[in-house]
């Protein structure tokens, strides 16, 4: 199972973490990946300088709400296949 953690701390909240979580959740459902991808919230992960901090199995990424779908397709879908 792939584990995606999205920071919901104050800095990332202001940058759109709620929208990132919502979009990732939609994409997981749309692609029928409920049993293959776990989406969780996390507090500060120490990568607050850019966009919303996201990790996939511990690897850090910076994701804006506008780029959430691109991120999902590039980083999650390629790991599934």
């Amino acid at each position: 199972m792939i584990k995606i953690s999205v920071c919901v701390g104050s800095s990332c909240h202001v940058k759109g973490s709620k929208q990132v979580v919502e979009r990732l959740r939609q994409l997981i459902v749309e692609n029928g990946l409920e049993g293959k991808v776990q989406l969780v919230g996390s507090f500060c992960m120490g990568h607050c300088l850019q966009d919303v901090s996201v990790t996939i199995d511990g690897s850090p990424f910076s994701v804006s709400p506008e780029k959430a779908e691109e991120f999902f397709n590039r980083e999650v879908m390629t790991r599934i296949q």
Side-chain angles (χ1 to χ4, degrees):
M1 178 169 292
I2 294 172
K3 182 177 181 180
I4 304 173
S5 298
V6 180
C7 179
V8 294
S10 57
S11 179
C12 287
H13 176 74
V14 170
K15 295 174 187 174
S17 63
K18 181 178 179 186
Q19 293 89 344
V20 171
V21 168
E22 288 173 357
R23 187 62 186 132
L24 292 176
R25 184 179 297 131
Q26 289 173 344
L27 290 164
I28 290 167
V29 171
E30 287 172 12
N31 288 282
L33 300 176
E34 294 92 333
K36 296 181 180 181
V37 178
Q38 178 185 22
L39 181 63
V40 299
S42 177
F43 286 102
C44 188
M45 296 187 273
H47 301 282
C48 305
L49 297 176
Q50 296 168 329
D51 292 316
V52 177
S53 292
V54 177
T55 63
I56 296 180
D57 295 333
S59 297
F61 298 90
S62 184
V63 180
S64 68
E66 299 78 25
K67 300 274 183 166
E69 185 169 355
E70 178 185 321
F71 165 78
F72 184 85
N73 290 331
R74 182 183 66 242
E75 299 296 338
V76 178
M77 291 304 289
T78 57
R79 293 168 195 248
I80 295 294
Q81 300 167 3

